[in-house]
Amino acid sequence: PPPEFLLIRADGLAFDDGSFDAVTAFGAFHWFATAASIAELRRVLRPGGHLVVVNKRDAGSFADDIVRIVARHVPLAVASPKTGYDPAALMEAHRFIDVSSHAVVSTESLSAPQAVAHARSLRLWEDVPPALYRTIENDLSDYVSARLGAAGRLVRDLTTVVVSGRKPADIG
């Protein structure tokens, strides 16, 4: 059967206790890394089940440059979703065991429209009034265009961090 997709809050999962062998969050955990949500993730994991969190982090100046460009037009309430965000420490604090963290350095190649779309996907875009979208998108496009390589792509350095932990077999 095809997979089923549900849009539900992480702090109120509609699944029975121990329903899953693994729970994953790719590039989103920082949005719901609260005590209530982590308790729910633990609850729906079977004993011995794994929580795996994957985050891409800008290893160069791309994200900071986006913040600077947007901040020229709008005072930013929050430019980063979580200051001091540490998924491994969160897992350990919520009694996950065998917590490990692995970083992989890579690059990402973006076309100019993809780079602007990436900027629009960041939390800071919520502080941008719709009347300024086009102006800021034009500034972002100028920034990206000035940095395109010979293949017409912006190459962005990334660090992808994979953090995993296991629910102890002897605890609910």
Side-chain angles (χ1 to χ4, degrees):
E4 182 178 354
F5 296 93
L6 302 172
L7 180 60
I8 55 178
R9 293 181 54 94
D11 60 0
L13 299 174
F15 302 105
D16 292 336
D17 293 0
S19 294
F20 298 99
D21 292 326
V23 173
T24 61
F26 288 82
F29 188 65
H30 59 276
W31 293 111
F32 58 88
T34 64
S37 295
I38 296 169
E40 275 294 275
L41 297 176
R42 272 183 61 88
R43 183 187 65 75
V44 301
L45 278 170
R46 69 164 175 77
H50 293 267
L51 172 59
V52 179
V53 175
V54 180
N55 291 299
K56 290 191 311 184
R57 295 183 186 152
D58 192 72
S61 65
F62 183 64
D64 290 337
D65 291 344
I66 291 170
V67 171
R68 278 192 287 279
I69 290 166
V70 174
R72 287 195 307 239
H73 301 278
V74 208
L76 298 175
V78 179
S80 174
K82 298 277 182 172
T83 302
Y85 166 69
D86 183 349
L90 289 168
M91 286 184 198
E92 289 170 347
H94 288 87
R95 299 180 304 146
F96 282 85
I97 61 172
D98 302 330
V99 175
S100 65
S101 182
H102 303 279
V104 178
V105 177
S106 63
T107 58
E108 179 176 64
S109 174
L110 303 169
S111 68
Q114 288 171 326
V116 172
H118 171 73
R120 289 203 54 176
S121 75
L122 299 175
R123 157 62 188 92
L124 64 92
W125 199 260
E126 294 176 19
D127 292 335
V128 175
L132 291 176
Y133 285 178
R134 184 177 300 269
T135 300
I136 296 173
E137 286 171 341
N138 288 340
D139 285 358
L140 290 166
S141 291
D142 291 345
Y143 164 83
V144 170
S145 294
R147 287 157 181 79
L148 294 177
R153 316 257 318 158
L154 174 83
V155 177
R156 168 184 164 191
D157 294 326
L158 295 174
T159 301
T160 302
V161 180
V162 180
V163 180
S164 63
R166 191 167 54 84
K167 179 180 177 179
D170 60 342
I171 308 176

